[in-house]
Amino acid sequence: MNIIQAILYGIVQGITEFLPVSSTAHLTLMPWIFGWKNPGNVFDVALHFGTAIAVITFFFQDWIGLVSAGITKPKTKDGKLFWFLVIATVPGALAGVTLDKYMGMLSNPLLIGILLIIMGIVLYVCDKVSRNNISLDGIGLKRSIFIGVAQVLAIIPGVSRSGITMSVGRATGLDRESIAKFTFLLSTPIILGDALFHAKDLAHVNIDVLPFVIAVVTAAVVGLLSIKFLLNYLKTKSFFVFTIYRFVFGAIIIALYFIRA
């Protein structure tokens, strides 16, 4: 892994982890597109530590308030939200631990290209048909469970954690800004947990420290900018631009797959 590759991976991870376009798809496809050697789990740890730093930093004060309220005042608005987040985290965490070894079976570029397009349609339809504009205060237990269960699908490259949770959130009536914030808060333990889960691999390899650190820092800085951008963007805009991007990128991947066949 050279410095330029480390920076590019960090930029892609920082952008795609939080936008509804599937970071797993992009990171899986980068070596295939450019003919690079697959960086493996060690570099995946660096990228996820970077975006974990980003989301923890951005929502640090929120998490302090949520954890405090969840423990001392569980019946308050923030106390309930904390436990809704805990409940919604469980399905995705269990899926990540039990199904991680099967991820390689789902990394076919053609499948990823098709899923990018399909989930773009799902995101657009769910956003378009949503009639309600429920705020984060009204998320409730049932809606949290739906979002948490849907997050299980995010292990499939091309689906997108933020894409599937935002789709379900919009379909069940949450306004765009609220489901985006809930998605980012929900991603905090999942991203950090994923990095820690794969950190065990660091003990078995020699790490090239400089590219590793550069990837962490790049992913963290770009991730912070991505979170800020999306929260501001969704105050006045829809998810349509992300649907277009998924269509175009998915079509390019499908075409490239058959050209190379």
Side-chain angles (χ1 to χ4, degrees):
M1 178 64 62
N2 61 49
I3 303 302
I4 299 300
Q5 289 175 340
I7 292 172
L8 290 176
Y9 271 110
I11 291 172
V12 170
Q13 169 70 4
I15 294 173
T16 60
E17 181 66 56
F18 300 111
L19 303 187
V21 294
S22 182
S23 63
T24 308
H26 285 73
L27 296 179
T28 301
L29 290 169
M30 282 180 72
W32 179 76
I33 293 172
F34 297 112
W36 295 344
K37 182 179 178 180
N38 192 315
N41 285 342
V42 172
F43 206 69
D44 187 69
V45 171
L47 296 173
H48 280 84
F49 266 130
T51 43
I53 290 170
V55 73
I56 290 170
T57 301
F58 195 94
F59 293 106
F60 183 76
Q61 291 299 326
D62 295 80
W63 273 113
I64 293 296
L66 289 169
V67 172
S68 176
I71 295 172
T72 62
K73 302 175 183 178
K75 293 185 178 180
T76 62
K77 176 184 69 176
D78 284 349
K80 290 179 180 179
L81 179 57
F82 172 78
W83 289 108
F84 291 155
L85 286 165
V86 170
I87 291 169
T89 298
V90 173
L94 291 176
V97 171
T98 58
L99 301 178
D100 180 72
K101 58 185 177 181
Y102 301 109
M103 285 296 296
M105 300 169 58
L106 303 172
S107 299
N108 180 275
L110 178 60
L111 176 61
I112 294 175
I114 293 171
L115 286 174
L116 283 167
I117 293 173
I118 290 174
M119 288 308 302
I121 296 172
V122 171
L123 179 64
Y124 174 77
V125 171
C126 289
D127 185 44
K128 193 71 173 178
V129 302
S130 182
R131 300 296 182 187
N132 300 317
N133 287 291
I134 300 169
S135 70
L136 195 57
D137 296 343
I139 189 166
L141 177 60
K142 185 184 295 185
R143 193 174 283 107
S144 300
I145 293 173
F146 284 156
I147 293 171
V149 172
Q151 189 177 215
V152 172
L153 296 175
I155 66 170
I156 304 173
V159 171
S160 168
R161 179 183 298 109
S162 57
I164 192 65
T165 55
M166 289 178 187
S167 294
V168 172
R170 287 296 289 153
T172 56
L174 286 170
D175 66 67
R176 297 186 184 103
E177 190 177 0
S178 293
I179 186 52
K181 184 172 183 179
F182 187 81
T183 293
F184 294 149
L185 290 170
L186 183 60
S187 74
T188 306
I190 293 293
I191 296 172
L192 182 59
D194 185 71
L196 294 174
F197 178 73
H198 287 106
K200 63 182 184 296
D201 298 323
L202 300 180
H204 306 294
V205 296
N206 293 319
I207 302 172
D208 197 347
V209 176
L210 184 57
F212 188 94
V213 172
I214 287 174
V216 172
V217 173
T218 305
V221 172
V222 177
L224 277 168
L225 296 174
S226 296
I227 295 171
K228 184 176 182 179
F229 161 75
L230 191 59
L231 288 174
N232 288 330
Y233 180 85
L234 294 178
K235 289 179 180 179
T236 57
K237 304 291 194 305
S238 73
F239 291 104
F240 182 66
V241 67
F242 303 110
T243 294
I244 296 300
Y245 173 80
R246 293 180 72 112
F247 258 79
V248 173
F249 187 48
I252 291 172
I253 295 304
I254 292 171
L256 189 58
Y257 177 85
F258 284 109
I259 289 172
R260 291 183 174 184

